[in-house]
Amino acid sequence: LLANSLVTQTLGPTLEDYAAQLTAFAKNQQITVARSKAIQQRLNCITELKKELEQKTGIKATYHIAPDSSLNACAFSTFTSHHIAINEGWLQYQGFPDLTTYKNHLRAVLYHEVGHLWHRHILKTNIYFALKISLQNLFSYLLYSKAANYKSQHLGPIVSDEWGKPVRYPNRSAPTNWEETLDGYENQAEWLPLITNLGTIPLTFIISRSFEFQADAFAAQFDQAKNLRKALKLISPPCESTTLSEFLI
């Protein structure tokens, strides 16, 4: 329940909750009847597409309406459930000539998002970043440990200086450049996260692109390649649309 609540807060209200909000807005005359009907028609299309995708792919997901004015969507998974967030721009954008065109474009995008769920891309992405952070922390720990060992080898016991403050002086056997060497170990540990992040940018990009290609191929299996190409032309540039909350203001 907690996980689902956090998902709803992050991705936006569910399709059913959004429809209920729309009904309340129309009832309170916060939105025109014509506008309410237009949005409701698109919500009905999404409900129909949801049933279609569940029947054809076997993937059941909770659909959300995200408060974003762009024409896009995203997929997300928890350990127990799948979620697809459709940006509110899909309900507000006025550039579709008719409802059939709208439905075909959105259908292709949703098959793409279900493709991410089918291939478990969200889980694989989480594993990748978890491994990267774990290795990063491990090597940082080893470098800090090396610095601590080096310090204990070349520094004597803690004593008081002439003002009574605790200090540690180097041993007679300590090399003349012991401070530079110690600083080097500590600097390496401090810079390692940044170096790791910069160094893995190409790998992260390759993994991300491969996931997108796999999701595209999944949509193409259901004869959505042509519609997906058309939809991508709309998704790429910014779309002039407003969210429901902005529209009401």
Side-chain angles (χ1 to χ4, degrees):
L1 291 176
L2 177 60
N4 289 334
S5 175
L6 291 174
V7 168
T8 300
Q9 292 178 14
T10 304
L11 301 182
T14 63
L15 182 62
E16 296 76 14
D17 289 343
Y18 188 91
Q21 291 176 12
L22 179 65
T23 302
F25 287 144
K27 186 178 180 180
N28 295 330
Q29 297 182 347
Q30 294 175 277
I31 186 173
T32 64
V33 175
R35 193 71 182 133
S36 175
K37 287 183 178 180
I39 296 175
Q40 187 60 55
Q41 284 181 329
R42 294 188 175 188
L43 289 174
N44 293 339
C45 284
I46 295 174
T47 301
E48 293 171 5
L49 290 173
K50 175 184 177 182
K51 294 178 181 178
E52 176 188 323
L53 267 72
E54 288 179 354
Q55 292 174 356
K56 291 189 175 182
T57 67
I59 299 291
K60 293 185 177 182
T62 301
Y63 284 64
H64 301 258
I65 304 298
D68 190 311
S69 62
S70 63
L71 286 179
N72 214 331
C74 69
F76 182 79
S77 291
T78 67
F79 289 109
T80 58
S81 59
H82 297 307
H83 301 264
I84 292 177
I86 302 170
N87 286 0
E88 202 170 6
W90 283 100
L91 301 177
Q92 302 291 342
Y93 181 60
Q94 302 299 307
F96 298 106
D98 51 55
L99 203 59
T100 300
T101 303
Y102 166 81
K103 193 172 182 179
N104 289 337
H105 281 60
L106 183 56
R107 176 187 283 111
V109 171
L110 293 180
Y111 269 104
H112 172 92
E113 297 305 328
V114 171
H116 285 304
L117 300 176
W118 178 272
H119 289 288
R120 299 181 181 276
H121 289 159
I122 295 88
L123 175 62
K124 293 175 182 177
T125 300
N126 290 337
I127 292 174
Y128 165 70
F129 281 106
L131 286 174
K132 188 178 85 166
I133 293 172
S134 298
L135 290 174
Q136 182 177 291
N137 290 338
L138 173 62
F139 284 114
S140 293
Y141 170 77
L142 292 175
L143 285 171
Y144 277 120
S145 296
K146 193 170 185 178
N149 291 333
Y150 186 86
K151 186 183 292 185
S152 64
Q153 290 175 4
H154 298 296
L155 290 180
I158 298 176
V159 296
S160 298
D161 61 10
E162 55 185 314
W163 293 282
K165 295 182 179 180
V167 294
R168 294 181 70 180
Y169 296 104
N171 296 326
R172 292 180 179 179
S173 59
T176 55
N177 64 336
W178 70 272
E179 289 180 305
E180 290 81 0
T181 304
L182 180 60
D183 289 340
Y185 290 143
E186 293 177 342
N187 288 335
Q188 288 175 21
E190 291 175 359
W191 282 94
L192 183 64
L194 177 61
I195 295 172
T196 303
N197 289 332
L198 291 176
T200 54
I201 286 177
L203 177 59
T204 303
F205 177 80
I206 291 172
I207 292 174
S208 173
R209 289 300 90 198
S210 67
F211 286 174
E212 294 302 321
F213 292 148
Q214 285 181 342
D216 288 344
F218 181 87
Q221 291 177 6
F222 296 89
D223 299 323
Q224 297 301 317
K226 184 177 180 181
N227 287 329
L228 186 59
R229 283 195 296 270
K230 292 180 179 179
L232 288 175
K233 292 179 181 179
L234 290 175
I235 291 174
S236 297
C239 301
E240 294 182 0
S241 57
T242 57
T243 63
L244 180 59
S245 56
E246 292 169 341
F247 179 81
L248 295 175
I249 293 173

